[in-house]
Amino acid sequence: MTRLVTERLVIDDLTSADAGFLVVLLNEPSFLQNIGDRGVRDEAGAHRYLAEGPFASYRRHGFGLWAVRLLADRRPIGICGLLKRDALDDVDIGFAFLPAYWGAGYAQEAAARVLAHAHEELKLPRVVAITAPHNERSAKLLEKLGLRFQREIRLGAEQQPTRLFAPPESEGNP
Ligand SMILES: CC(C)(COP(=O)(O)OP(=O)(O)OC[C@H]1O[C@@H](n2cnc3c(N)ncnc32)[C@H](O)[C@@H]1OP(=O)(O)O)[C@@H](O)C(=O)NCCC(=O)NCCS
């Protein structure tokens, strides 16, 4: 069980009680356009997503996408965490927040804490990020976190290109 605390947020494991929140978040136009359609349309779909995605990742890797909750009332406002994809050698950081909570620095606060956890506790040497080419808000956040655009990659033969961001010291060392 992971539990990270920042000035305004708690970042911890998603649970079955987050199913309703996930139905809303995963169907936000910003999520569908920038990340993809996870096919979650109702709470039953959210439970399937949790079992096959985050819960499986927690068991397999000791990390995954976590819930980001307001410290004040524990309300979930987004997800942020670490992913190990078959198509990518490095672990990558991912995040998505409900639009009502954009523009307050919450994503930056959560992602900075997750990166520190990745390096300090999980001892991951390198964490990268991938974003859709037009996702400027995400690119801006990744730059603030110290990652730099490296190049466009394709995660699979059929996939659209995505932008790879990585720590500057690892440039040229994919
Ligand atoms: C990507 C995403 C998480 C960025 O959210 P965000 O709220 O813009 O990101 P930040 O936490 O960095 O907040 C930055 C904004 O908060 C403002 N802000 C206000 N208070 C702040 C504070 N205390 N600290 C830092 N920034 C603060 C900043 O000035 C900045 O405003 P601006 O957007 O007008 O420049 C969000 O757009 C999202 O969920 N998108 C959909 C999913 C997605 O694309 N995920 C990425 C896939 S790779």
Side-chain angles (χ1 to χ4, degrees):
M1 163 107 194
T2 299
R3 188 171 185 280
L4 309 171
V5 180
T6 69
E7 200 184 328
R8 297 178 294 173
L9 304 168
V10 181
I11 301 154
D12 63 9
D13 289 7
L14 285 158
T15 76
S16 302
D18 295 312
F21 156 70
L22 287 170
V23 174
V24 176
L25 181 69
L26 271 54
N27 288 291
E28 285 293 344
S30 56
F31 191 101
L32 295 168
Q33 283 158 19
N34 293 313
I35 298 178
D37 187 355
R38 297 290 176 260
V40 171
R41 298 289 178 264
D42 53 22
E43 293 208 6
H47 289 299
R48 271 196 305 278
Y49 166 81
L50 281 166
E52 292 165 11
F55 294 171
S57 183
Y58 300 159
R59 271 199 313 277
R60 182 166 176 203
H61 303 295
F63 58 73
L65 283 172
W66 295 299
V68 180
R69 309 180 198 278
L70 290 180
L71 187 60
D73 60 9
R74 303 299 149 104
R75 173 192 320 196
I77 63 167
I79 56 177
C80 181
L82 300 164
L83 297 135
K84 179 65 197 77
R85 303 170 202 262
D86 291 340
L88 208 57
D89 287 341
D90 290 305
V91 170
D92 66 284
I93 187 167
F95 37 74
F97 284 70
L98 296 173
Y101 298 95
W102 293 7
Y106 289 131
Q108 185 184 359
E109 191 169 319
R113 184 68 190 85
V114 163
L115 280 183
H117 177 67
H119 296 308
E120 289 158 22
E121 277 99 41
L122 300 175
K123 309 286 183 205
L124 295 172
R126 185 172 125 108
V127 175
V128 301
I130 51 169
T131 75
H134 56 273
N135 193 347
E136 294 309 327
R137 280 193 97 100
S138 176
K140 193 171 159 189
L141 171 53
L142 292 171
E143 296 270 341
K144 282 189 284 186
L145 294 169
L147 301 188
R148 296 291 171 261
F149 171 69
Q150 280 207 329
R151 59 199 154 86
E152 289 206 340
I153 58 168
R154 277 175 206 271
L155 289 180
E158 305 300 313
Q159 300 293 318
Q160 296 297 312
T162 55
R163 301 175 84 198
L164 175 69
F165 286 74
E169 65 270 22
S170 60
E171 266 170 33
N173 182 21

